[in-house]
Amino acid sequence: MTNQVTVLGSLNVDTTLRIARMPQPGETLSTENKSSAAGGKGANQAVAAARAGAQTRFIGKVGNDEAGRFMVESLKNDGIDTSAIVTDKTVGTGSAFILLDEEGQNSILVYGGSNQQIKPAEVTAVEAEIAKADFLITQFETPQAATLTAFTLAKQHGVTTILNPAPAAKIDPAILKVTDLVVPNETESAVLTGIEVTDVASMDANAVKFREMGVKNLIITVGSKGAYYNTEKYGSGFVPAFKVKAVDTTAAGDTFIGALSSQLTPDLSNVETALVFAQRASSLTVQGLGAMPSIPTFDQVQAAAKK
């Protein structure tokens, strides 16, 4: 059974600047390389879901510019339904500038552009698309008002909602009440709950806090260590990450969420198996350069599992 995944999210053209190390305040460094590729957290997650086998649709906004046309074509190339992407006539397509050092660590500056212009009415207009999904995924690179509308509609149609609260932000409490599964990293989780993530006990405490805020299921990604899960019906645990040499960590978290949604059952009953698949997909992404170019296909993840 193929999962139907709809992503409400951001579309950015990523420009990556490769540098030896991060600059100090006031310092000028020369870059070793410069490249551009399709990106944005939403787009990356949609591509990861599609490449991992999910039938994927996208709800978003681009500018009436070359970058916008490039982003739509990039999604179409991965078989993603782009019919719910709107063109904004006044604001340009989103962009991101990624500083990538020799250790594979990155710092990212994002210009929201048309991503920040998505209106609740535009989300309501594609209610039929949302209703078809098994999962609706969103992040915080688009307005929270649009997220609340989308998740509220999803719940009316029995669609499982996945929130990736990245970048970390003050959140409308109403969104959490219509979120089935929240997937932050350890920093984002601590921002939302006020509880620092240091060990399993603190992750359990985060899960309790999220339940108090209305979300019954939690996955915390902890970088190269792995992922913690805590579900209402299927218990909790920790799935270790696969040990690999990271070249570029850009889109690792996005790959994880997209790949997860392609394998997860809407009732989350196979959460541990789906997490292992998502971890493996993410471990392949960090071994390649660039966001979208390094996101693996289902066959590549399966091949890695046999090694």
Side-chain angles (χ1 to χ4, degrees), residues 136-149:
L136 176 65
I137 305 172
T138 195
Q139 334 72 35
F140 283 162
E141 288 186 342
T142 50
Q144 291 191 21
T147 295
L148 180 58
T149 300

Side-chain angles (χ1 to χ4, degrees), residues 242-274:
F242 295 93
K243 298 289 178 231
V244 296
K245 169 104 176 83
V247 175
D248 181 1
T249 56
T250 311
D254 297 333
T255 299
F256 177 90
I257 288 168
L260 180 77
S261 71
S262 77
Q263 305 301 309
L264 198 59
T265 52
D267 67 353
L268 314 187
S269 57
N270 68 337
V271 61
E272 199 160 324
T273 312

Side-chain angles (χ1 to χ4, degrees), residues 52-82:
Q55 194 166 342
T56 310
R57 299 178 188 85
F58 200 92
I59 302 168
K61 207 165 203 181
V62 292
N64 186 20
D65 49 30
E66 203 50 53
R69 290 183 278 279
F70 168 69
M71 287 306 306
V72 172
E73 281 306 309
S74 297
L75 295 189
K76 282 182 177 173
N77 288 342
D78 274 292
I80 294 166
D81 182 340
T82 61

